[in-house]
Amino acid sequence: MSRRAGWRQDGFAGCGNVDFVCLAAAKCLAFQAVNLKIPGIPVARRRGDRVAHKMKIEKSVTVTMRDGIKISLCVYRPDAPGQYPTLFAASPYQYEMDEVPAYPLFLWRETGPVEWYIEQGYAYVHADVRGAGQSEGEFEFMGPNEQQDYLEVLAWIVKQPWCNGRVGGIGQSYYAMAQWLMATYNPP
């Protein structure tokens, strides 16, 4: 990884008080995320001793960007008190698609089963990018405004009481490209 982007040997981008780990890869790491041994990110427990978390869903959460445009998010998180590492997915593929079953039949479900991440003790934020889904503005395929929006949403996430300050990107294709762009900025 590029040292300019602030990558350390443990896979995290150095980001001041926050670490951003990019889970982008040629194939979706959704089901492999449990096997990552990254400091500060919980490793899922074996089936015998796993405590499944129930899921709380907050739809149509908006974050106002620097130019007044509102980006729409869906926040999924364990329905239990505490702070959780958070997975962030940003795309034009509308977070309503998260409700479609995560089966090979539905290939556009590029982030894997949200419910599984929550059961493992992660929060999960899915943003409709500028000009897509419920978000305001004009769509600019990964343009400068969209890239800046990623950073502002990341900053919003780490300030939430349910986030422990650790944020990772997730998904493949558009999601993966967005993660690489976020990481090049070395988010605050």
Side-chain angles (χ1 to χ4, degrees):
M1 297 292 164
S2 166
R3 296 311 263 164
R4 188 176 68 80
W7 288 93
R8 302 189 320 236
Q9 288 184 338
D10 61 5
F12 280 94
C15 306
N17 295 332
V18 177
D19 286 325
F20 177 81
V21 62
C22 183
L23 300 179
K27 6 193 264 194
C28 180
L29 290 175
F31 297 105
Q32 297 174 13
V34 69
N35 296 322
L36 295 176
K37 292 184 169 71
I38 301 173
I41 301 287
V43 174
R45 300 154 201 99
R46 291 178 177 46
R47 289 184 187 190
D49 61 2
R50 179 170 41 163
V51 176
H53 293 278
K54 294 190 181 203
M55 184 164 59
K56 179 175 186 164
I57 303 172
E58 299 172 69
K59 293 184 178 183
S60 301
V61 174
T62 59
V63 179
T64 304
M65 300 293 103
R66 69 219 159 274
D67 58 359
I69 295 294
K70 292 184 177 158
I71 300 299
S72 187
L73 316 171
C74 190
V75 177
Y76 306 86
R77 58 189 174 94
D79 192 11
Q83 294 183 313
Y84 302 94
T86 304
L87 298 172
F88 176 47
S91 80
Y93 307 139
Q94 303 180 22
Y95 57 71
E96 287 89 2
M97 298 311 296
D98 293 339
E99 297 172 13
V100 174
Y103 300 121
L105 175 64
F106 304 107
L107 296 177
W108 56 86
R109 199 54 203 279
E110 298 173 348
T111 58
V114 174
E115 305 81 16
W116 186 84
Y117 304 120
I118 305 311
E119 288 174 2
Q120 307 310 309
Y122 290 87
Y124 181 98
V125 177
H126 190 164
D128 286 346
V129 298
R130 180 180 290 251
Q134 303 296 319
S135 291
E136 298 175 351
E138 299 221 3
F139 179 68
E140 316 169 348
F141 182 78
M142 296 190 174
N145 282 319
E146 183 177 323
Q147 292 178 43
Q148 190 62 41
D149 293 347
Y150 300 150
L151 303 178
E152 292 181 34
V153 173
L154 281 170
W156 178 86
I157 291 170
V158 299
K159 291 178 185 172
Q160 301 312 299
W162 41 259
C163 181
N164 70 358
R166 307 284 281 192
V167 180
I170 189 112
Q172 60 184 350
S173 189
Y174 197 102
Y175 299 94
M177 290 185 291
Q179 292 169 56
W180 285 111
L181 288 170
M182 286 180 237
T184 64
Y185 284 93
N186 198 14

